Amino acid sequence: MRFLWPLIWAFLISCVVSYVLVSMAGNDFDIVSTFGATIVITLAVFILGEGVLKGESEY
């Protein structure tokens, strides 16, 4: 479950950001770029959450 929620939130946030930026540019909404942003955000959350941001007590 801890891997599913970041994926869902990353998709929702990517949709909102993509929609706003595309609307400002006057282009059509593209779902492929939204999925790309979702993958990047999800990987960043996993890497930061599991590896980089460890508490001092875990060393």
Side-chain angles (χ1 to χ4, degrees):
M1 236 9 216
R2 72 179 186 174
F3 295 113
L4 181 64
W5 286 112
L7 181 65
I8 292 170
W9 278 107
F11 178 70
L12 293 174
I13 291 170
S14 297
C15 283
V16 170
V17 169
S18 179
Y19 177 76
V20 168
L21 292 176
V22 166
S23 294
M24 287 174 31
N27 296 332
D28 293 331
F29 182 74
D30 184 25
I31 195 73
V32 175
S33 63
T34 304
F35 284 132
T38 299
I39 292 169
V40 169
I41 292 172
T42 303
L43 288 176
V45 167
F46 290 158
I47 290 170
L48 288 174
E50 298 294 325
V52 176
L53 299 177
K54 295 271 186 189
E56 291 182 14
S57 63
E58 296 179 8
Y59 287 112

